Amino acid sequence: TYNQNFGVSGIPFATLDTAVFVQDQWKVARRLTLNYGLRYDYQHVPDPVNPNPAIPESLKIPTDHRAFGPRAGAAWDIAGNGKTVIRGGYALYYARTPNGLIENALAQTGLSDPSKVLIALSFQPTDPGAPLYPAILPSIPATAKGSGSIFRMDSSYRQARIQDFNIAIERQLGGTVVTASYIHTY
């Protein structure tokens, strides 16, 4: 098999991640403390470089503006002497949109113009027009057949997210602290 690529081998782009976090603590009682907060994550994605008017999903890369992640935690000093404490917490976390996914959306718009996309040709040795090793094709042959690759992102795309819940009991034994924890992520 002979393979040769023509056109744009990559599309340079950048993403900018912005995150804001606020947190507060409330000492409800001498032995009970609550922590609470909210984090907001936003990933600025680039505008399409070579959109395909025939593919509406290629005209804009969707972004998720709903990445609000609440945080809550509590610490309860059972006896009030700091030796045995029960702690618990909850958080909602958001992942970034992988740059590979964004690059696919930028590069695979179904266009066939080699000045705007990467076009890959494959030949079997018996195909007409296939070059013989070590020759290469100077340009895309007029008889070449193929189809453009199209990568579409759902217009209602949401960033991946997980929820985390944990509870722990800590006990001071002399100069050592022993902790038993349960963490559940879903």
Side-chain angles (χ1 to χ4, degrees):
T1 302
Y2 174 83
N3 296 305
Q4 185 175 340
N5 294 334
F6 295 90
V8 180
S9 61
I11 296 177
F13 69 94
T15 59
L16 174 65
D17 295 272
T18 303
V20 178
F21 182 74
V22 293
Q23 177 179 320
D24 198 6
Q25 180 174 304
W26 177 31
K27 189 102 170 146
V28 177
R30 189 175 65 81
R31 299 181 337 191
L32 178 62
T33 303
L34 298 179
N35 294 293
Y36 43 90
L38 182 66
R39 180 182 172 103
Y40 177 72
D41 289 288
Y42 181 72
Q43 184 177 5
H44 305 265
V45 297
D47 290 327
V49 178
N50 296 308
N52 183 344
I55 309 293
E57 295 89 349
S58 75
L59 302 177
K60 179 164 179 37
I61 297 175
T63 57
D64 188 355
H65 298 276
R66 302 164 286 193
F68 289 95
R71 311 287 201 265
W76 177 40
D77 182 354
I78 295 174
N81 60 8
K83 293 198 179 272
T84 304
V85 179
I86 295 177
R87 300 180 189 280
Y90 168 83
L92 177 61
Y93 300 98
Y94 287 86
R96 298 181 75 255
T97 300
N99 281 356
L101 191 74
I102 295 169
E103 182 176 30
N104 286 339
L106 290 171
Q108 298 178 42
T109 61
L111 295 172
S112 58
D113 180 349
S115 69
K116 297 182 177 178
V117 295
L118 180 68
I119 297 176
L121 296 180
S122 294
F123 294 97
Q124 295 298 320
T126 57
D127 290 344
L132 297 175
Y133 181 80
I136 62 170
L137 297 171
S139 62
I140 299 174
T143 58
K145 294 180 182 172
S147 59
S149 179
I150 300 172
F151 184 90
R152 299 177 184 198
M153 288 181 70
D154 189 330
S155 60
S156 60
Y157 170 79
R158 295 213 48 198
Q159 287 174 241
R161 57 203 169 279
I162 62 168
Q163 297 182 68
D164 181 81
F165 170 78
N166 67 73
I167 190 160
I169 185 163
E170 293 180 356
R171 176 68 183 165
Q172 182 179 349
L173 302 171
T176 303
V177 175
V178 177
T179 304
S181 302
Y182 172 78
I183 299 173
H184 182 75
T185 301
Y186 51 97

